[in-house]
Amino acid sequence: MSACPLLLLLLQLLCFCQTAPGYSNGFFYHDVLNGNGNGEIYFNGVRLYVDTTEAPIFAVRGSNVTLPCRYRYEPELTSPRRTRVKWSWLPAGGSHETDVLAAIGRRHRSFAGFKGRVQLRQDSPGEVSLLLTELHLNDTGRYRCEVIDGLEDESATVDLELRGVVFPYQPPQGRYCLNFLAAQRACEEQDSALATFEQLFAAWEEGLDWCNAGWLADGTVQYPITIPREACGGQGMAPGVRNYGTRHRRLHLYDAFCFSSSLRGNVYFLQHPQKLNFSEAAQACEEDGSQIARVGQLYAAWKFTGLEHCEAGWLADGSVRYPIITPRPNCGSQEPGVRSFGFPAQHNEHGVYCFRTS
Ligand SMILES: *[C@@H]1O[C@H](CO)[C@@H](O)[C@H](O)[C@H]1NC(C)=O
Ligand SMILES: *[C@@H]1O[C@H](CO)[C@@H](O)[C@H](O)[C@H]1NC(C)=O
Ligand SMILES: *[C@@H]1O[C@H](CO)[C@@H](O)[C@H](O)[C@H]1NC(C)=O
């Protein structure tokens, strides 16, 4: 609903600078429509095509990515035409498209969270790819490239996905304490975001098995089971992601599935002569010029840099965990993973994992 008035306004703003002052808006609009006012006649028999890639684009947090898009006319046109380009975005798990960028020629404007982070790439004729910099965890979803030429309007979509790691999260208060908003916040506090269904599904394909239901970014509550059992939906059910459907975002309480991607920085187990209680642990990281690591950071380091250390350490939320790549005796279960001891009393003494930004 809001997209159209915005675009129109933008159109006026952009073109006013390019064309002679004194244009009345009405005529000016005709001009943009390539015209003499007869856009549709002029356009007879010519078709506009817009292409992106069918395969999703994968990237990691913090990187730059180009979402390809190009358009062409058939039959080919000899004189250049003035087109408008609009990129919009349907967030993973979302239900509304929002504006990302709108452009006419070499001028463009970006919107909301994309301000200053997007550019149009026009390296060759017909190219209108979107360059998106400094990827955020929540930039995933479906991007629409729309080319508007007079009365013609064609679009194509491309999916952006992040490589990362999904982890189930329970707060110190225990199991099933989070409504949707609290789950969102809990993930953010661990340097992660609520996972999308695609991310949870990919984690299930890689073997994630977790018998507590958690919120996903789309407001549904689900959990991944690879080994069916009585307590987790029944033995008779096939392995899969069990779905409780959309739940009441304020009233219903579950755990969360968080998603983390690569880090600008590194996580390490602090070499320290003594074991530390929780407050000493946080202090020790600071004295080492870093910060006590958050859960999402430990998972990302385990997944992306192969961090492995068979010693329990405090994390920022008060949990105690350690990351294992190669399972062995005395280092937890038979599977690689991040082991958790839950939230011990804070006077207990352990090691600590710190995070240093690079
Ligand atoms: C991403 O692009 C920005 C702006 O073009 C640039 O400053 C930055 O170095 C790039 N980052 C990476 C990781 O390539
Ligand atoms: C997406 O992530 C960025 C950076 O982490 C944050 O500033 C922004 O508020 C988030 N947007 C939404 C809609 O959650
Ligand atoms: C940790 O130990 C210090 C003494 O070294 C003490 O002052 C502090 O209260 C302890 N913190 C906790 C959470 O037990």
Side-chain angles (χ1 to χ4, degrees), residues 89 136-139 184 188:
W89 171 55
H136 296 165
L137 285 177
N138 54 19
D139 283 339
Q184 219 171 21
E188 277 165 23

Side-chain angles (χ1 to χ4, degrees), residues 48-220:
L48 173 62
Y49 291 88
V50 177
D51 298 310
T52 58
T53 62
E54 233 165 76
I57 306 277
F58 280 91
V60 295
R61 166 166 57 180
S63 66
N64 296 343
V65 71
T66 299
L67 305 181
C69 182
R70 59 176 55 249
Y71 69 92
R72 65 180 197 283
Y73 295 96
E74 279 182 15
E76 216 172 295
L77 297 178
T78 44
S79 55
R81 294 175 60 81
R82 225 157 149 211
T83 50
R84 292 187 275 145
V85 176
K86 185 177 140 193
W87 277 91
S88 48
W89 171 55
L90 180 63
S95 51
H96 303 289
E97 281 194 354
T98 62
D99 291 347
V100 173
L101 172 144
I104 299 175
R106 300 259 153 203
R107 293 162 182 274
H108 75 266
R109 207 185 131 181
S110 50
F111 300 95
F114 294 99
K115 234 169 221 158
R117 283 205 297 139
V118 285
Q119 286 166 32
L120 210 56
R121 276 189 69 162
Q122 298 175 284
D123 296 344
S124 55
E127 182 179 11
V128 288
S129 302
L130 184 74
L131 174 61
L132 177 51
T133 63
E134 302 283 316
L135 278 186
H136 296 165
L137 285 177
N138 54 19
D139 283 339
T140 58
R142 176 157 294 178
Y143 287 76
R144 178 179 301 281
C145 170
E146 187 176 2
V147 177
I148 304 141
D149 177 329
L151 301 178
E152 296 281 310
D153 172 346
E154 289 297 331
S155 71
T157 61
V158 54
D159 290 334
L160 174 63
E161 292 176 23
L162 289 195
R163 292 184 201 285
V165 54
V166 170
F167 61 95
Y169 191 76
Q170 263 173 23
Q173 296 76 21
R175 185 174 188 248
Y176 291 177
C177 291
L178 304 171
N179 67 16
F180 179 76
L181 205 65
Q184 219 171 21
R185 230 180 277 128
C187 290
E188 277 165 23
E189 281 165 12
Q190 300 316 314
D191 197 29
S192 57
L194 271 183
T196 64
F197 173 75
E198 287 74 16
Q199 290 161 354
L200 183 65
F201 189 81
W204 170 77
E205 286 180 310
E206 288 172 18
L208 183 65
D209 182 280
W210 193 253
C211 195
N212 295 302
W215 289 103
L216 296 183
D218 61 1
T220 61

